[in-house]
Amino acid sequence: MKLFSLLLLPALFVFSSFASAEMPPTPADREVQIGITGVYAPGGFTASSEAFVVVNGVFQNGCYRWKKADVKHRDDFVHEIRSYAAVSPGMCIMV
């Protein structure tokens, strides 16, 4: 029994030291502005209807995912659209 206790105590100490060790923090995603390569603006809108625009582009790799779009209305006919993606660090699939 004494031998069992002597073997169990170091094992518990090693296990507790691994359990209490903090994992390094994962790097946070960063937000980047992405380019827009094409725009489709369908016609047939009236002054009282909502207008929709479809934009497209290409991400550099699989770590990019679309996050948001900012739209600034310069005047009644000019609108500026900026598209943003969240980029996660790490190994990424090339696309």
Side-chain angles (χ1 to χ4, degrees), residues 19-38:
S20 65
E22 290 185 25
M23 296 295 292
T26 58
D29 291 354
R30 62 186 166 102
E31 184 177 294
V32 296
Q33 183 179 348
I34 55 174
I36 297 173
T37 58

Side-chain angles (χ1 to χ4, degrees), residues 71-80:
V71 180
K72 292 183 181 175
H73 305 286
R74 299 289 180 198
D75 59 40
D76 289 342
F77 297 101
V78 178
H79 310 284
E80 181 180 306

Side-chain angles (χ1 to χ4, degrees), residues 7-95:
L7 292 175
L8 184 61
L9 186 61
L12 289 174
F13 177 74
V14 169
F15 179 72
S16 66
S17 65
F18 283 127
S20 65
E22 290 185 25
M23 296 295 292
T26 58
D29 291 354
R30 62 186 166 102
E31 184 177 294
V32 296
Q33 183 179 348
I34 55 174
I36 297 173
T37 58
V39 177
Y40 171 68
F45 296 109
T46 64
S48 62
S49 64
E50 291 187 27
F52 296 94
V53 176
V54 179
V55 298
N56 62 6
V58 177
F59 291 144
Q60 294 179 5
N61 57 45
C63 287
Y64 284 72
R65 69 181 186 283
W66 187 82
K67 185 171 183 179
K68 67 178 183 174
D70 283 339
V71 180
K72 292 183 181 175
H73 305 286
R74 299 289 180 198
D75 59 40
D76 289 342
F77 297 101
V78 178
H79 310 284
E80 181 180 306
I81 301 171
R82 293 181 185 215
S83 185
Y84 294 91
V87 182
S88 58
M91 297 193 60
C92 307
I93 297 172
M94 298 307 292
V95 293

